[in-house]
Amino acid sequence: MTKPLTLLSGTGLVVVLGLALSLSGVIPSAGATSLVSAASLEAGDLIRGESYSAVYYYGLDGFRYVFPNDKTYFTWFEDFDDVKWISDSDLSDIQIGGNVTYRPGVKMVKINSDPTVYAVGANGELHGIVSEEVAEELYGSTWNKQIDDVPDGFFSNYSLGSDLEFASQYDPASEEATAFSIDSDKGLQTYVTVSIQDNSYSPSTLDVDSGRAVRFVNNDDTKHTASADDGSWGTGTLNPGESFTRYFEDAGDYAFHCAYHSSMKGKLNVE
């Protein structure tokens, strides 16, 4: 097997370890702009809270996704002009779905502890580049200036795919065009909703595709839960107006009930 292309440590780039730190001098201080309501957010919005400068991507599935550093951010966006401010309270109510990975095709990456150079594919799949010749065919004569270091702690956000032994196996422009949004890159879909109201679940039985997010929303005037009958998962207590979203990856039947009201029962059929 051909060994992937490696670089000596002297070619490594300076790493910015936290987007919150790196953006603090770029985005206005708290209170410098008006806040928007969480209810007005749309999939694809860039958001931040009042107290900290960390920026998140609001996904189609209703989760917020973290930019681990500014280099990752700038593979997707040119500036911070479209960042929307929401209250810290609203921000904390939006569950974190994970980290954003590099936009495919824009840059090559490596990690500090391993000199292997990778091309980035969809949803953070990495492909080792086996030679300088392949790297040059893909990214031109300045290929060695188009490599970013990914901090070791964030490398687990990526997965390893097959090595690139020939330039024909990977097209940077096509990869970038296909990943036209973070939603498309991660394959995110709109969540489906189970409404809790009048001491019941609506619908009480729901067919769901595997890998789809389900949001439980308490539209009642008292507290409820959606708790797995087998104890494997649960929403925790949902006060009126609160919600909880969970992914169901594996096919099967998921029966649940309300911990406060024994008569409330529901079931998800995940296919």
Side-chain angles (χ1 to χ4, degrees):
M1 180 176 179
T2 308
K3 183 180 180 181
L5 172 64
T6 61
L7 293 181
L8 297 177
S9 59
T11 62
L13 301 178
V14 176
V15 176
V16 180
L17 294 179
L19 184 61
L21 295 177
S22 64
L23 300 188
S24 59
V26 180
I27 297 182
S29 59
T33 189
S34 58
L35 303 180
V36 302
S37 67
S40 70
L41 295 179
E42 298 179 350
D45 281 346
L46 296 170
I47 58 175
R48 61 154 290 176
E50 302 167 87
S51 300
Y52 300 98
S53 57
V55 175
Y56 305 88
Y57 180 85
Y58 186 64
L60 194 61
D61 58 356
F63 286 87
R64 56 181 162 122
Y65 289 85
V66 184
F67 292 97
N69 55 31
D70 58 347
K71 290 179 181 178
T72 306
Y73 181 92
F74 285 119
T75 64
W76 289 99
F77 302 99
E78 295 181 353
D79 52 45
F80 304 107
D81 292 351
D82 294 327
V83 174
K84 296 182 178 180
W85 291 48
I86 63 176
S87 69
D88 290 343
S89 176
D90 280 347
L91 182 65
S92 67
D93 286 341
I94 302 173
Q95 294 168 243
I96 293 179
N99 285 348
V100 179
T101 51
Y102 268 60
R103 185 176 183 180
V106 177
K107 291 275 189 178
M108 293 170 284
V109 299
K110 60 181 288 293
I111 59 172
N112 299 327
S113 60
D114 182 357
T116 302
V117 175
Y118 299 96
V120 182
N123 196 21
E125 185 176 57
L126 300 181
H127 303 278
I129 300 177
V130 302
S131 67
E132 293 186 14
E133 289 74 22
V134 172
E136 184 170 354
E137 284 189 65
L138 292 175
Y139 286 93
S141 59
T142 61
W143 64 269
N144 60 342
K145 297 181 180 180
Q146 301 182 58
I147 303 168
D148 280 357
D149 281 330
V150 174
D152 290 21
F154 297 127
F155 196 64
S156 60
N157 299 321
Y158 297 82
S159 61
L160 293 178
S162 57
D163 290 343
L164 302 179
E165 299 195 25
F166 307 98
S168 59
Q169 294 175 275
Y170 182 90
D171 181 356
S174 177
E175 293 283 344
E176 183 177 352
T178 301
F180 55 86
S181 70
I182 294 171
D183 285 328
S184 66
D185 184 47
K186 289 183 173 295
L188 303 182
Q189 303 178 67
T190 305
Y191 56 82
V192 294
T193 300
V194 173
S195 176
I196 304 173
Q197 56 193 60
D198 299 325
N199 284 343
S200 64
Y201 299 107
S202 179
S204 59
T205 301
L206 180 65
D207 294 331
V208 184
D209 293 332
S210 60
R212 196 73 176 266
V214 178
R215 174 168 288 188
F216 298 87
V217 183
N218 187 358
N219 292 312
D220 217 339
D221 56 5
T222 189
K223 61 186 179 182
H224 293 290
T225 76
S227 305
D229 286 0
D230 63 5
S232 61
W233 61 274
T235 63
T237 298
L238 297 177
N239 292 308
E242 293 182 339
S243 65
F244 178 86
T245 307
R246 185 185 190 276
Y247 269 93
F248 291 84
E249 302 289 353
D250 300 323
D253 294 335
Y254 296 79
F256 57 92
H257 63 278
C258 177
Y260 297 105
H261 306 90
S262 58
S263 63
M264 291 177 58
K265 299 181 183 298
K267 186 172 71 170
L268 299 176
N269 300 318
V270 181
E271 303 172 345

